[in-house]
Amino acid sequence: MLIYVNGFLKCGAPLVPFFSRKRESFFIKPTPASYCSTPGPRDHLCFNSKLRYSSKSVQVVETSAIEMGAKEEKADSAALSSYDDAMDALSTLISRRRGDRSPSVGNRDKLEQVVSYLKILGLEDKIKELKVIHVAGTKGKGSTCVFSEAILRNCGFRTGLFTSPHLMDVRERFRIDGLDISEEKFLQYFWECWKLLKEKAVDGVTMPPLFQFLTVLAFKIFVCEKVDVAVIEVGLGGKLDSTNVIQKPVVCGIASLGMDHMDILGHTLADIAFHKAGIFKPQIPAFTVPQLSEAMDVLQETANNLKVPLEVIAPLDLKKLDGIELGLSGDHQLVNAGLAVSLSRCWLQRTGNWDKIFPNGSNETDMPLAFCRGLATARLHGRAQVVHDIVSDQKDSSGSLKTPCGDLIFYLDGAHSPESMEACGRWFSSAVRGNKSFPTPVNGYMRNGEFGRDLNRDRVSKQVLLFNCMEVRDPQVLLPKLVTTCASSGTHFSRALFVPTMSTYNKVISGASAIPLDTRRKDLTWQFRLQKLWERSIQGTDAALDHSLNPDGITTLPPHDFLCGDAPHCGGPAGGTHITSSAVMPSLPLTINWLRDCVRRNPSLKLEVLVTGSLHLVGDVLRLLKR
């Protein structure tokens, strides 16, 4: 498991002095090219000595990221203002509030509308030249795309990756050679598209909704940047998704299918599979993972009708990686990695590049070195991501270390469906067990005086759930699924914190946007409902909670000993029922600061906080930790 130690670049790509690997020393001082913390037999995967096409190695990506971050830090206020203007313009394209599923245009006309935008931008013929990998699915499609991009980049190709949603900054959706597109280039392509479409809007052509605009912007970026391969993740469904204007992809993939977005895609697995299979194109090869028979029958029928050679791919065999761990954690990622390997291999073969890159005739069962490196270095915000927060130790007036603080570790996963929540629970339990034997590094280094000494033996580990979900989700399914999965592995939550997100559905924000600190008039009704469900269904209590708020709309924070033992009040409204296993928190920024204060006050405390239920929540937490 690769662990992110809290460190981010302004460009949005998580980058740290090194990736610390389980079972390896945390004490080796990192170098600019360090991706393994200790030398050993796996070092051949850390550099590109055996690969013929090596222009997009991991080291080059890291160096480019550092240079990009330094350049953007020096951007003048005019450029920043222009970026804010772009975010304001994008926000006007949010045509409806999340949860309102009524389409803004007829489904039959949706793809025709996207094609018309491509014509206005002069892209209709040019996108036919893109060599596309197109991926749909309910869960795992984003990870599959990230693995595929990393594999082909490590094979030496110039890659473009379009995914959704973004967590901290909209530029995360567009990657060139493994990096979020730079602010400068984003603005260039954004305003070119915006002005052309605005000019036509005068002639009666409506501006596209947000996702349609972002889709055509992705095509604009990939065409202008002359990428060798464009890896495109479907936004929602497949058949009627904006990305389905791609007529001749090189290969298509269908990740795991499940019950999600049923108000749009249908209430049966067969209905959902029908939409996902809509990305199949006549005689274009397609790959999928093992599915339930109800879904597989639909995929196979669609493939037969279009004469599509459809192959079912088994999860990746870890033995093929020679001990190397995947860059994305969790057993479920073996399914996505297996699909990505097949998609990448097929893309190389169909574009005539396989024999060029592997002239020695690697057979179908071999795992090329470049594939291993791509799988090991793939990254994706907010999916099985571990961030060790930097909490400053308490010091006295002279600046000397007074008392070392405890540890605060965030485990972030944007799971929001029953299937993904189960996978999240398995990953969290495994990650927590794996961290019990090791000291916690801060930015890759141990604190002064901790070298050679494991303070975790004296620390009390507490697993805390930080949760929110959209009201269209069913927490009565999500929360029990998470808790029972964790409990089956021996992991139990000491406390649950229910908190509102900072993100709003009517505003596109950037990673540098101001963080709202005012919690007045914040409606916490949904969070109190979540707490009541937790206490009744999870803890087995049936307390009648008082959901009335103080006149100023602010609830109080729990006392700092709330996480260490019983407390008289747990963050509920003044005068409400005493709850000892959960708390409703007034705001996310206050919650993060409160957690930090808890470990400062208690050096023996090790807080392992699982953040899940919503990608919006995960993104907000990452924005706060970034600062």
Side-chain angles (χ1 to χ4, degrees), residues 159-397:
T159 58
L161 174 66
F162 177 57
T163 59
S164 60
H166 64 273
L167 298 186
M168 293 181 288
D169 195 294
V170 70
R171 291 181 293 120
E172 297 167 24
R173 297 177 184 242
F174 316 94
R175 288 192 199 175
I176 301 295
D177 287 339
L179 295 173
D180 301 344
I181 188 171
S182 69
E183 192 171 290
E184 181 182 6
K185 285 188 175 181
F186 174 84
L187 289 174
Q188 173 190 339
Y189 297 130
F190 173 85
W191 289 119
E192 286 178 8
C193 292
W194 184 269
K195 290 174 182 178
L196 283 173
L197 292 174
K198 266 295 186 183
E199 288 174 3
K200 291 297 181 179
V202 177
D203 300 328
V205 178
T206 59
M207 287 293 287
L210 179 62
F211 187 73
Q212 287 187 23
F213 181 88
L214 295 176
T215 300
V216 297
L217 177 59
F219 291 131
K220 169 75 173 178
I221 291 171
F222 296 157
V223 166
C224 292
E225 289 294 312
K226 295 181 172 57
V227 300
D228 298 317
V229 54
V231 183
I232 306 292
E233 178 191 1
V234 167
L236 192 156
K239 186 177 182 65
L240 302 174
D241 186 72
S242 299
T243 64
N244 208 27
V245 292
I246 302 166
Q247 292 303 309
K248 290 187 177 181
V250 175
V251 61
C252 295
I254 305 290
S256 298
L257 300 182
M259 305 301 289
D260 199 10
H261 299 294
M262 294 177 289
D263 48 346
I264 298 176
L265 305 179
H267 293 274
T268 68
L269 201 54
D271 290 337
I272 292 172
F274 171 78
H275 281 273
K276 307 294 183 179
I279 69 169
F280 290 167
K281 301 300 185 296
Q283 301 180 17
I284 300 296
F287 297 86
T288 189
V289 300
Q291 310 280 3
L292 293 177
S293 59
E294 184 181 359
M296 187 60 73
D297 290 345
V298 175
L299 296 181
Q300 192 63 64
E301 181 182 0
T302 305
N304 292 340
N305 291 339
L306 296 173
K307 297 182 179 180
V308 168
L310 176 63
E311 186 175 346
V312 180
I313 303 301
L316 184 67
D317 185 355
L318 278 176
K319 295 179 181 177
K320 293 185 177 182
L321 294 179
D322 191 25
I324 290 300
E325 296 177 4
L326 297 177
L328 304 181
S329 300
D331 292 341
H332 60 286
Q333 293 294 355
L334 293 172
V335 176
N336 303 323
L339 179 58
V341 166
S342 294
L343 291 172
S344 301
R345 191 187 301 271
C346 181
W347 186 91
L348 288 168
Q349 292 170 340
R350 297 199 73 224
T351 57
N353 286 293
W354 180 266
D355 292 335
K356 295 178 183 177
I357 296 180
F358 307 112
N360 296 329
S362 296
N363 59 49
E364 289 292 323
T365 61
D366 290 338
M367 181 67 72
L369 176 64
F371 280 44
C372 291
R373 186 169 50 249
L375 292 170
T377 59
R379 60 171 180 81
L380 186 60
H381 283 311
R383 280 77 164 182
Q385 181 177 357
V386 182
V387 177
H388 292 255
D389 191 37
I390 300 174
V391 183
S392 58
D393 293 322
Q394 298 184 61
K395 297 182 179 180
D396 58 25
S397 57

Side-chain angles (χ1 to χ4, degrees), residues 415 417-427 478 481-482 485-486:
S417 69
E419 295 87 356
S420 59
M421 198 62 73
E422 182 177 359
C424 172
R426 292 198 305 268
W427 162 72
L478 299 183
K481 178 70 73 173
L482 174 65
T485 301
C486 289

Side-chain angles (χ1 to χ4, degrees), residues 408-455:
L408 179 56
I409 309 172
F410 289 92
Y411 299 78
L412 304 109
D413 192 276
H416 52 269
S417 69
E419 295 87 356
S420 59
M421 198 62 73
E422 182 177 359
C424 172
R426 292 198 305 268
W427 162 72
F428 177 65
S429 297
S430 175
V432 166
R433 290 197 306 272
N435 279 338
K436 285 183 179 179
S437 303
F438 302 97
T440 302
V442 176
N443 263 2
Y445 300 95
M446 297 303 297
R447 296 190 184 93
N448 291 334
E450 293 186 11
F451 186 86
R453 185 161 62 95
D454 185 359
L455 292 184

